[in-house]
Amino acid sequence: MTRKTDILIIGGGMAGLTCALEIPERYAVTILSKIELPTGSTFLAQGGLAAVTSEDDSIENHLRDTQKAGAGMVDETVAREIISMGPELVSVLSGWGITLEGANGDGGGMEGGHSFRRVLHYFDQTGRFISEHLADECRKRTNITIIEDAFAINLIPASREALSLLQKGSDRCLGAYVLIGEDVVTFLARETVLATGGAGKTYRYTSNQDSSTGDGIAMAFRAGLPVRNMEFYQFHPTCLYHPDKRNFLITEALRGEGATLVNESGKRFMEYYDSQRMELAPRDIVARAIDSEMKHYGTDHMYLDATHLSRDFLEGHFPEVTSGVMSVGIEPWNEPIPIVPAAHYCVGGVVAATDGSTEMIGLRVIGEAASTGFHGANRLGSNSLLEAGVMGLLCARSFREDTPAEIKALQVRDWSFGRAEPLEESVLVDHSWASLRSVMWDYVGIVKTDKRLRRALKLLDVLAEEVEEDYWTLLPTVEQLELRNLTTVARIIVRSALKRRECVGLHYLMDCPHTSHIKTDTILKINM
Ligand code: FAD
Ligand code: SIN
């Protein structure tokens, strides 16, 4: 079956929904999400959205903080453009009913690496507030169709399906094959926008939702697009350590209100790692400090102490965190919270400009799946909702022309199931999922060595062979397709980490402890 639309947006988080709402209403827009909206990492965001709204702050200050966190690898032009558009994004959001605390220049939150209280938020439920409103707004628009439980499998490049549409040597994206129920539907569009988020599920411990499996990055990579700097995977220093509540973030904003990191005996340890900025040092430093303390004491967690704050303050300002930790019996005003660092944000991604445009005509990549150069080697907290929102706006505003007749008339062949058979033993997929995530956690974590990376690559190569065989012989299921994407992304992360012969930002390779003076990007393409 084939469905046609002007603009196909794959992903219903901050990037995808902002883009959809900003697209002129004369275009038919289809949003696909593999799970029900509101969803994605966007839904989980706690701290907020960084933007300059106070006269005492400035674009230059925000830029400087971003560059410092990014360890000299931030693309200044890109960062200036995104940061300068922060105030406009805040006002556009406000027009859609999303007014954040601090939007009028006061009351913004503080986070690590920021020199000013510029993190705009809605209590510690910023993401939920934003995504619920964006989704509601999209549902009101007559030009927007939302299809949930729709899993994009592969992009459709003209080089494979419609050679006549290749333009001046560049490939062109024609849409995507999408699994809906047991059918694979061919979606054809003039522009396809990947807004599929990150890939935290590559790791055993992650702050991300189960849907963060790097699908867009893997799809673009398979279609021949370059993927950049994937060795920079950000670990959030403070996720709750508890068997019954995995993947639960304890927002950095709590450290912004004075919460301290302590070991088993209650001793504060950040003074040994960054005596100036202490708990508000950039995330790479804080996560490595916790990792190092855990290794030193042979424990699997440390603690975040917020007992200087009253119950009223915690419940009033951090309702999400307070109710979350209380649900597992912890009273944060009385006792320190056990925490562990966890995979949080994919700094690298598909090479894209700030409006999402890529090497492939008709394909945009926006939000966490993209790599614009904004974050350099380490993302400053709360800069990603900003980037996702700004990219959404710029992407939407760049659609000016009507859909060309040859695209409207286009037909491509349907998905072929060949002789594929149903998966009889789901243990095969479950086991591979678990081993992939263990390999990545044990060998490709916060601190890396060549030996561990090489071992990880060997194991992942074997896994990739099995997964590929299943892909060609079994009927498609979401779990199996996600595993395939995760395997692709994991191998890209490891190969990128092996290529970077230095320590910079989030990349800490013990065999190469120096930092290079020349800043280079790690770029991988499918046939490289
Ligand atoms: P997402 O919001 O992750 O959305 C991805 C969408 O793609 C989803 O709708 C998903 O269903 C869909 N999708 C994925 N694959 C497919 C597929 N194959 N087919 C169809 N649909 C697909 N950043 C900040 O700036 N401030 C914060 O306070 C903050 N807090 C965070 C807290 C947590 C716990 C986490 C995990 C992240 C946080 N971040 C924060 C990061 C930030 O939330 C994300 O980077 C940002 O929301 C990403 O937005 P996105 O639109 O790119 O992707
Ligand atoms: C947090 O609230 O600590 C997360 C902020 C972010 O990831 O940007």
Side-chain angles (χ1 to χ4, degrees), residues 13-233:
M14 176 78 170
L17 298 185
T18 308
C19 179
L21 287 172
E22 191 68 3
I23 290 173
E25 295 195 30
R26 66 198 165 92
Y27 292 121
V29 176
T30 301
I31 301 173
L32 305 178
S33 174
K34 65 178 176 179
I35 43 178
E36 260 176 50
L37 302 187
T39 172
S41 285
T42 302
F43 184 76
L44 298 180
Q46 293 181 359
L49 182 155
V52 174
T53 54
S54 162
E55 286 185 3
D56 297 329
D57 194 10
S58 71
I59 302 296
E60 290 308 310
N61 281 343
H62 190 174
L63 177 63
R64 213 170 305 119
D65 294 344
T66 300
Q67 286 172 317
K68 212 164 169 186
M73 288 197 63
V74 167
D75 181 322
E76 183 170 339
T77 312
V78 164
R80 193 181 295 283
E81 184 183 7
I82 292 176
I83 290 169
S84 304
M85 275 200 64
E88 187 178 338
L89 173 66
V90 172
S91 114
V92 171
L93 289 176
S94 219
W96 294 330
I98 304 165
T99 301
L100 298 170
E101 198 169 320
N104 298 325
D106 55 351
M110 186 66 172
E111 280 182 15
H114 286 279
S115 59
F116 197 86
R117 294 188 76 98
R118 65 168 77 91
V119 180
L120 316 185
H121 60 105
Y122 180 81
F123 301 96
D124 59 353
Q125 297 164 332
T126 312
R128 177 193 299 254
F129 181 63
I130 291 179
S131 39
E132 282 174 354
H133 272 78
L134 290 178
D136 286 351
E137 200 64 24
C138 282
R139 291 188 205 284
K140 286 185 208 154
R141 299 281 177 93
T142 51
N143 68 319
I144 299 179
T145 306
I146 300 174
I147 308 179
E148 289 150 318
D149 299 316
F151 186 100
I153 306 175
N154 276 339
L155 296 172
I156 308 177
S159 57
R160 285 180 211 159
E161 303 295 337
L163 285 171
S164 61
L165 288 176
L166 284 184
Q167 285 179 356
K168 290 187 210 129
S170 296
D171 206 349
R172 176 175 195 122
C173 184
L174 307 174
Y177 289 115
V178 181
L179 181 66
I180 302 181
E182 290 180 355
D183 292 332
V184 177
V185 180
T186 309
F187 277 85
L188 296 180
R190 191 196 107 188
E191 297 277 350
T192 301
V193 182
L194 284 175
T196 43
K201 292 298 279 187
T202 327
Y203 287 91
R204 190 189 300 144
Y205 298 107
T206 175
S207 63
N208 292 189
Q209 277 194 338
D210 287 351
S211 61
S212 296
T213 50
D215 299 344
I217 299 173
M219 272 191 268
F221 184 75
R222 284 196 293 270
L225 276 286
V227 173
R228 178 165 59 191
N229 292 342
M230 289 292 286
E231 65 277 28
F232 298 136
Y233 217 101

Side-chain angles (χ1 to χ4, degrees), residues 347-391:
V347 169
V350 183
V351 177
T354 48
D355 65 358
S357 50
T358 65
E359 262 186 14
M360 190 183 249
I361 297 164
L363 179 69
R364 310 296 183 104
V365 185
I366 58 176
E368 192 170 335
S371 162
T372 58
F374 179 39
H375 306 301
N378 183 20
R379 177 183 66 105
L380 182 65
S382 291
N383 260 358
S384 44
L385 287 178
L386 168 69
E387 183 188 45
V390 167
M391 287 187 88

